[in-house]
Amino acid sequence: MRWAPENMAEALEPEKKRRRIEELTDKMAVDGGCGDTGDWEGRWNHVKKFLERSGPFTHPDFEPSTESLGFLLNTCKILVLGAGGLGCELLKNLALSGFQQIDVIDMDTIDVSNLNRQFLFRPKDVGRPKAEVAAEFINSRIPGCNVTPHFKKIQDFDETFYKQFHIVVCGLDSIIARRWINGMLVSLLNYEDGALDPSSIIPLIDGGTEGFKGNARVILPGMTACIDCTLDLYPPQINFPMCTIASMPRLPEHCIEYVRVLQWPKEQPFGDGVTLDGDDPEHIQWVFHRALERAAQFKITGVTYRLTQGVVKRIIPAVASTNAVIAASCATEVFKLASSAYNPLNNYLVFNDVDGLYTYTFEAERKDNCFACSPVTQKLQFPSSAKLQDVLDFLKETSSLQMKTPAITTTMNGKNKTLYLQTISSIEERTRPNLSRTLKELGLTDGQELAVADVTTPQTVLFKLHFTS
């Protein structure tokens, strides 16, 4: 039997229905869901079932207690990095699991394209900082929860800030940012007579998604494999061969790359020196139309505005269901660690629902010579006739390092000497000639230490130079 409205007022047009749903949802958020402003009887019964009784899967040393809930509600401080697809899910899951002291960092603002999956945002929020809007929504919707937003980069905070948290949860889409926070937490470790002080460990829960694939991992700095220990697990950025792009395009992506790499610098459509901005609609429109023209020449179909934007900005398609699964897994691991009620994941979970559902876990092994978490001084082996450019390329291209803009300094005759620094134009220009000089010509000797700074780590990495014959 088909539903028939009792009056025409109920038969709203789809757009009016959507607006009405948003109004009701936002009203519920302001009213605290059910109109309550604090705890109510039975509110945390679902959490107490895990904390106040033992079971077949609880940790062998776990002792049920009524005090554990108080720690989760009032004491445990959680830091969430990212308020996007994963971040929205994480904030919701953590708040509903009893964590009420949460900080969130995100440097991005809300775009219209975020609204299909980042459910804490509304059309009226477009242009506002993600962290601030997400915090406002959670705080207003979940009574007692205190989410503190930070509209900044994670690199804007020092070690004092990060020391205050019990657990850090990572929902970032940048490998560089992941490596940086990994390095920060490793730098906070304390050692006494060579033994790691367990109280200095701040666990890092990292989640990542790529279309219908995802992963979650538990990192105990100084004990388990860190981000840099498994750097080769991250897929390399896709680059198309230039010969294919220029001569034999077969895919719509080839046509877009042709315009991005070759046509844009040649034609300079928006003036001399204007670089292609993936966030500028006019720039994307220009690339899109030129890519359509090239695709027509080679009878290639599939060039769309969205694909053009994805290729230019190196966007990986996001799937809401994948975000939900990975965020749920990460939030579960946070609960395990904070309550000590269950063994945490050991230590890597892979999720794939491209064809059916497939998931498995494995233990990623810690590298003894990891340059991020190993106390061993790293070695650089080069002949004395090698050029500084060779060392720079090694730091950037080696799979275990993958540095982006390494700055190399050393100490000579008791004074610091900058061999090469790329990020400051005046110093880069002054030190650029060193790249073509040999290590011997630069005055470097066997066994000399080189200090390397990079955006992938908050700490300067020391390398010992060894000359090979």
Side-chain angles (χ1 to χ4, degrees):
M1 180 177 179
R2 296 185 62 185
W3 171 80
E6 295 181 2
N7 56 69
M8 293 304 294
E10 295 182 11
L12 299 173
E13 297 176 4
E15 179 62 19
K16 290 182 179 179
K17 279 187 176 181
R18 184 187 64 78
R19 291 178 182 174
R20 181 58 178 157
I21 290 171
E22 284 190 4
E23 289 173 2
L24 292 173
T25 303
D26 290 339
K27 185 177 186 303
M28 288 177 66
V30 173
D31 291 342
C34 299
D36 296 306
T37 56
D39 285 352
W40 54 88
E41 185 178 356
R43 180 183 181 187
W44 301 113
N45 282 350
H46 63 295
V47 179
K48 289 181 179 179
K49 290 177 181 178
F50 295 98
L51 301 178
E52 297 180 5
R53 63 185 187 185
S54 60
F57 300 107
T58 52
H59 192 283
D61 299 328
F62 172 67
E63 296 183 4
S65 169
T66 58
E67 298 176 357
S68 299
L69 179 61
F71 173 76
L72 262 63
L73 294 175
N74 306 314
T75 305
C76 188
K77 295 197 67 175
I78 306 295
L79 175 62
V80 176
L81 303 181
L86 273 176
C88 284
E89 293 278 359
L90 283 167
L91 289 170
K92 176 259 296 180
N93 291 344
L94 293 171
L96 293 175
S97 298
F99 297 98
Q100 298 190 330
Q101 306 300 319
I102 305 173
D103 283 53
V104 58
I105 303 176
D106 196 296
M107 59 176 284
D108 202 3
T109 56
I110 299 168
D111 185 75
V112 174
S113 63
N114 302 146
L115 301 181
N116 71 330
R117 65 194 181 280
Q118 297 174 23
F119 54 86
L120 300 183
F121 311 140
R122 299 289 181 268
K124 61 182 174 61
D125 301 320
V126 171
R128 292 190 60 199
K130 288 184 177 180
E132 294 180 5
V133 176
E136 289 174 7
F137 192 102
I138 295 293
N139 290 340
S140 60
R141 187 65 177 269
I142 304 178
C145 195
N146 178 31
V147 179
T148 303
H150 304 277
F151 179 41
K152 294 183 177 181
K153 298 179 180 179
I154 62 172
Q155 294 88 344
D156 292 337
F157 298 92
D158 59 15
E159 60 180 25
T160 303
F161 173 81
Y162 289 106
K163 278 183 177 179
Q164 66 180 305
F165 298 101
H166 293 90
I167 301 173
V168 176
V169 196
C170 188
L172 299 167
D173 57 5
S174 166
I175 295 178
I176 293 177
R178 279 187 174 94
R179 296 177 65 185
W180 192 92
I181 189 63
N182 176 77
M184 170 57 74
L185 297 183
V186 168
S187 72
L188 298 180
L189 298 175
N190 292 326
Y191 291 86
E192 296 179 2
D193 299 327
L196 176 63
D197 179 7
S199 65
S200 66
I201 298 175
I202 301 177
L204 173 64
I205 313 299
D206 177 54
T209 63
E210 180 179 316
F212 290 98
K213 302 175 184 179
N215 70 272
R217 62 188 302 184
V218 176
I219 298 171
L220 303 178
M223 294 182 63
T224 65
C226 74
I227 295 289
D228 282 272
C229 285
T230 57
L231 201 56
D232 54 351
L233 290 179
Y234 291 97
Q237 181 172 293
I238 297 175
N239 292 304
F240 302 105
M242 184 58 68
C243 59
T244 301
I245 294 173
S247 305
M248 298 178 294
R250 298 184 300 275
L251 302 172
E253 291 87 349
H254 295 163
C255 302
I256 299 168
E257 278 288 276
Y258 176 86
V259 178
R260 185 185 74 86
V261 176
L262 299 175
Q263 275 191 262
W264 181 280
K266 181 180 179 181
E267 298 186 20
Q268 293 287 302
F270 291 85
D272 293 341
V274 178
T275 57
L276 177 57
D277 184 358
D279 294 315
D280 190 324
E282 293 185 3
H283 289 197
I284 298 297
Q285 281 286 359
W286 188 90
V287 175
F288 170 52
H289 289 301
R290 296 302 180 277
L292 279 175
E293 293 172 1
R294 182 163 178 81
Q297 293 176 12
F298 292 88
K299 298 181 180 180
I300 296 173
T301 60
V303 174
T304 64
Y305 180 88
R306 185 166 184 173
L307 179 64
T308 302
Q309 192 176 40
V311 172
V312 171
K313 296 179 67 175
R314 295 292 195 254
I315 294 174
I316 298 172
V319 177
S321 59
T322 310
N323 286 336
V325 170
I326 297 303
S329 177
C330 290
T332 301
E333 295 306 321
V334 173
F335 183 85
K336 290 179 184 178
L337 289 169
S339 65
S340 299
Y342 301 87
N343 283 314
L345 174 69
N346 185 28
N347 50 34
Y348 205 108
L349 176 144
V350 175
F351 173 82
N352 188 334
D353 64 345
V354 175
D355 298 307
L357 180 62
Y358 176 67
T359 181
Y360 70 97
T361 64
F362 67 92
E363 181 181 358
E365 295 184 2
R366 186 181 177 192
K367 288 179 62 175
D368 294 334
N369 62 341
C370 173
F371 90 96
C373 69
S374 172
V376 178
T377 302
Q378 304 298 310
K379 294 181 180 179
L380 282 176
Q381 295 183 322
F382 286 92
S384 59
S385 58
K387 296 180 179 180
L388 186 63
Q389 180 68 60
D390 298 327
V391 177
L392 192 72
D393 293 340
F394 177 83
L395 295 173
K396 295 167 69 174
E397 296 173 4
T398 302
S399 61
S400 60
L401 298 175
Q402 295 186 36
M403 293 186 173
K404 302 302 177 183
T405 55
I408 308 174
T409 61
T410 189
T411 302
M412 289 185 175
N413 301 321
K415 296 181 179 180
N416 289 332
K417 180 179 180 180
T418 300
L419 299 178
Y420 184 70
L421 182 73
Q422 182 177 341
T423 53
I424 301 176
S425 58
S426 59
I427 300 179
E428 195 281 332
E429 185 177 352
R430 178 168 56 84
T431 57
R432 191 185 308 157
N434 289 341
L435 295 176
S436 58
R437 300 175 65 185
T438 66
L439 303 182
K440 185 176 182 180
E441 290 172 344
L442 290 170
L444 300 177
T445 58
D446 185 63
Q448 187 156 359
E449 284 192 345
L450 300 180
V452 181
D454 190 64
V455 294
T456 57
T457 174
Q459 303 296 317
T460 299
V461 183
L462 291 179
F463 291 89
K464 183 163 287 189
L465 185 62
H466 289 275
F467 285 157
T468 57
S469 54

